[in-house]
Amino acid sequence: MSKPDLSHLRADVRAIQAYHVQATRPGLIKLDAMENPFVLSKALQAELGQRLQSVEINRYPGPRTEELQKALADFIDLPQGHALMLGNGSDELIGLLTLAMARPGAKVLAPEPAFVMYKNFALQMGLEFVGVSLKADFSLDMAAMQAAIDAHQPSVVYLAYPNNPSANAWSETDIGTIIDWVSAYKGVVVMDEAYQPFAAATWLTHMREHPEQNAQVILMRTLSKFGLAGVRIGYLVAQSAWVEELNKLRPPYNVSVLNAECALFALEHQEVYQAQAQTIIEEREKLFAQLSAIEGLTPYPSSANMMLVRVCKADTSADQRHALTEAWFKALLEHGILIKNVSKMHPLLSGCLRLTVGAPAENQAMVQAFQQIAPTM
Ligand SMILES: Cc1ncc(COP(=O)(O)O)c(C=O)c1O
């Protein structure tokens, strides 16, 4: 059989690296993707099963997705003058916003290290991506941000609040300053609150209290970290004029009726998910203390359901750092723990692993593995 000829494909598409999902296997403790580790009780599983049985899958989604939109608006107490739009995960919303802003010469900026899809979507849609390095402690480098914003006037600036992969939440004063800079030339600041269930603050409070100062802000959220990563529901919130325009690019029926039903069910049982998030927050603090006590490990404080851990000293060379992180990654895998090696993602991350905070027994197994491996490194 002859091979297909791909020569009409865009050369830049062929050059893009696909998003890498790590392989897993049954029995592995999966702590690499910031998923909620808890499954529903048997009783709730049965109730959800009943609900899904009667979903009209022969029809296009319609009323149920509208009801989900209303339920989410209630859930977040949607500020006046604002609207909400659903996406097939917030990934889709990042893509749609990028598409909407892709005027000739438009640029996208994010502090780095950042969630990789900001850059991927920018490159896919022909926008230049400007990465501005964070400081070594992962705080915003405001001088560098100001210089880059002045020089490039990016149409979109992404601020993940808390950030992935550093897991910290930046200073509200710094965020407000960046919003002022970007608003001055009518760009957009995206407050990406994917990790909001585990954070102490939300920018929605500022949008509600100071709508004029936040007219150029689009807030994104997802139900993925809340507990529905498999369901794929993201949403964005902004003043209605933004949502009206972005809605034009949304594929019709982008959210499956099965996904909408699952999300409605989860919101009806939000206290279950809120209790799970509370457990994760408590586990995170325990994990931080336990990892800090292991010789050679430096965990970073987290406001999310993940944690960065540096496994080498400041004076270790870059090559040695990568080798050491890879050795740690493999040793943890041999102990049945899958985490993410982010050492090569950005110079600030060299020597770092990123872990997800799991269920109590999973975290205990992970800490034990770290304790056993540490003397061998
Ligand atoms: C900061 C950030 N934004 C957005 C997403 C995408 O979330 P979703 O599962 O809703 O597509 C992620 C996923 O890890 C993330 O870390």
Side-chain angles (χ1 to χ4, degrees):
M1 199 167 70
S2 65
K3 282 194 174 166
D5 185 330
L6 308 182
S7 55
H8 279 258
L9 268 176
R10 280 165 42 193
D12 59 337
V13 169
R14 297 179 75 175
I16 289 173
Q17 289 218 331
Y19 185 90
H20 176 64
V21 176
Q22 296 199 112
T24 182
R25 56 177 151 82
L28 211 53
I29 298 182
K30 192 173 179 306
L31 297 171
D32 66 326
M34 288 79 80
E35 293 147 327
N36 176 331
F38 302 109
V39 290
L40 287 175
S41 67
K42 287 277 175 240
L44 285 182
Q45 281 178 17
E47 211 183 301
L48 176 60
Q50 288 270 317
R51 285 272 290 268
L52 294 178
Q53 257 178 27
S54 50
V55 169
E56 288 192 318
I57 54 171
N58 53 317
R59 305 229 175 258
Y60 281 114
R64 290 310 265 164
T65 44
E66 279 161 31
E67 277 161 45
L68 174 59
Q69 217 166 318
K70 285 194 203 113
L72 282 167
D74 284 348
F75 178 61
I76 63 164
D77 187 15
L78 185 72
Q80 253 200 337
H82 289 65
L84 185 147
M85 174 171 139
L86 295 179
N88 199 300
S90 45
D91 280 340
E92 185 184 42
L93 297 171
I94 296 168
L96 292 178
L97 175 68
T98 314
L99 183 61
M101 305 299 279
R103 292 178 309 143
K107 299 179 186 178
V108 168
L109 181 146
E112 285 194 307
F115 179 48
V116 291
M117 294 313 294
Y118 305 150
K119 182 174 179 175
N120 281 12
F121 277 122
L123 299 184
Q124 279 177 31
M125 295 175 193
L127 290 89
E128 186 183 325
F129 178 82
V130 180
V132 179
S133 194
L134 291 168
K135 289 187 178 169
D137 64 356
F138 301 115
S139 61
L140 286 165
D141 184 337
M142 289 301 278
M145 286 294 284
Q146 185 174 26
I149 288 170
D150 277 354
H152 298 282
Q153 306 244 309
S155 298
V156 186
V157 173
Y158 286 99
L159 297 177
Y161 184 65
N163 189 40
N164 174 13
S166 53
N168 57 329
W170 294 311
S171 128
E172 293 196 359
T173 313
D174 287 354
I175 292 171
T177 305
I178 291 171
I179 291 172
D180 288 346
W181 288 337
V182 176
S183 302
Y185 64 86
K186 316 295 180 224
V188 167
V189 175
V190 174
M191 293 301 295
D192 181 350
E193 296 197 346
Y195 298 94
Q196 181 276 332
F198 318 100
T202 165
W203 202 258
L204 200 56
T205 317
H206 298 264
M207 292 166 76
R208 185 175 291 112
E209 287 172 7
H210 307 288
E212 296 82 20
Q213 276 118 296
N214 290 288
Q216 301 301 113
V217 173
I218 295 179
L219 182 114
M220 286 187 189
R221 295 255 185 101
T222 173
L223 294 186
S224 293
K225 318 300 168 180
F226 175 82
L228 301 182
V231 170
R232 312 303 298 131
I233 299 282
Y235 55 101
L236 64 75
V237 175
Q239 293 191 17
S240 306
W242 283 114
V243 177
E244 264 168 44
E245 296 302 324
L246 294 171
N247 238 327
K248 296 178 187 169
L249 297 181
R250 189 175 55 79
Y253 317 121
N254 62 328
V255 169
S256 140
V257 70
L258 291 168
N259 296 6
E261 200 61 45
C262 288
L264 279 162
F265 182 82
L267 290 175
E268 285 162 29
H269 296 92
Q270 56 186 266
E271 70 292 343
V272 173
Y273 292 90
Q274 275 151 359
Q276 292 171 351
Q278 192 50 40
T279 305
I280 295 289
I281 291 169
E282 286 160 20
E283 282 293 305
R284 174 182 79 199
E285 300 314 313
K286 211 159 79 184
L287 192 59
F288 181 81
Q290 288 171 327
L291 294 178
S292 303
I294 299 174
E295 175 79 25
L297 298 188
T298 313
Y300 287 84
S302 163
S303 298
N305 63 340
M306 68 187 128
M307 196 174 290
L308 265 190
V309 182
R310 206 178 290 277
V311 296
C312 59
K313 303 237 160 49
D315 59 359
T316 315
S317 74
D319 282 351
Q320 281 174 316
R321 283 173 178 224
H322 295 324
L324 195 56
T325 356
E326 192 54 25
W328 266 103
F329 176 82
K330 286 191 174 141
L332 285 161
L333 203 54
E334 276 162 24
H335 281 72
I337 316 276
L338 179 68
I339 47 105
K340 183 141 174 156
N341 178 1
V342 293
S343 185
K344 289 186 179 166
M345 248 179 80
H346 187 272
L348 287 180
L349 297 174
S350 82
C352 285
L353 302 171
R354 187 194 68 195
L355 18 129
T356 305
V357 182
E362 294 177 325
N363 298 330
Q364 207 180 342
M366 174 162 61
V367 170
Q368 268 171 13
F370 269 108
Q371 285 166 336
Q372 284 166 13
I373 298 164
T376 69
M377 289 290 166

